[in-house]
């Protein structure tokens, strides 16, 4: 399943937008509402190698959906959001 299909299948709350981009040794998954609130997870390449891409992406999307449903924290500065990091052991 491609990433966009996974995002659509994850059933995010209305108004939530999910974006991904490469950063350093991994990929950032970010969920925002209007841009003033958001949350992101850095999925490291080590985690993907250790656990597999499918399971790690599913876990990340689930966590982002959960945070979006709880209410996203305000941005610390424009484009700067609270972040968690998913690392390999």
């Amino acid at each position: 399943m491609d990433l966009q299909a996974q995002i659509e299948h994850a059933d995010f709350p209305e108004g939530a937008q999910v974006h991904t981009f490469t950063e350093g040794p991994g990929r950032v998954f970010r969920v925002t509402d209007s841009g003033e609130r958001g949350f992101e997870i850095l999925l490291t390449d080590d985690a993907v190698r250790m656990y597999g891409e499918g399971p790690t992406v599913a876990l990340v999307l689930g966590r982002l959906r959960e945070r979006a449903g709880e209410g996203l924290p305000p941005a610390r500065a424009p484009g700067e959001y609270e972040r968690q990091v998913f690392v390999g052991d």
Side-chain angles (χ1 to χ4, degrees):
M1 182 180 291
D2 70 42
L3 180 59
Q4 189 57 44
Q6 284 181 283
I7 292 169
E8 291 170 8
H9 185 69
D11 196 30
F12 281 88
E14 188 172 332
Q17 299 174 358
V18 178
H19 306 279
T20 65
F21 55 93
T22 301
E23 182 178 292
R27 189 166 39 159
V28 174
F29 291 76
R30 176 185 290 166
V31 62
T32 61
D33 55 11
S34 62
E36 296 177 13
R37 296 182 168 278
F39 178 75
E40 59 189 32
I41 297 175
L42 170 61
L43 175 59
T44 64
D45 294 340
D46 287 342
V48 172
R49 277 191 293 277
M50 178 163 275
Y51 304 111
E53 185 167 359
T56 56
V57 169
L59 183 66
V60 166
L61 292 176
R63 179 69 180 129
L64 290 178
R65 183 186 64 242
E66 184 179 286
R67 284 301 300 258
E70 294 170 353
L72 297 169
R76 296 178 176 156
E80 187 178 311
Y81 303 99
E82 181 180 325
R83 177 182 284 189
Q84 288 184 345
V85 181
F86 185 177
V87 298
D89 291 334

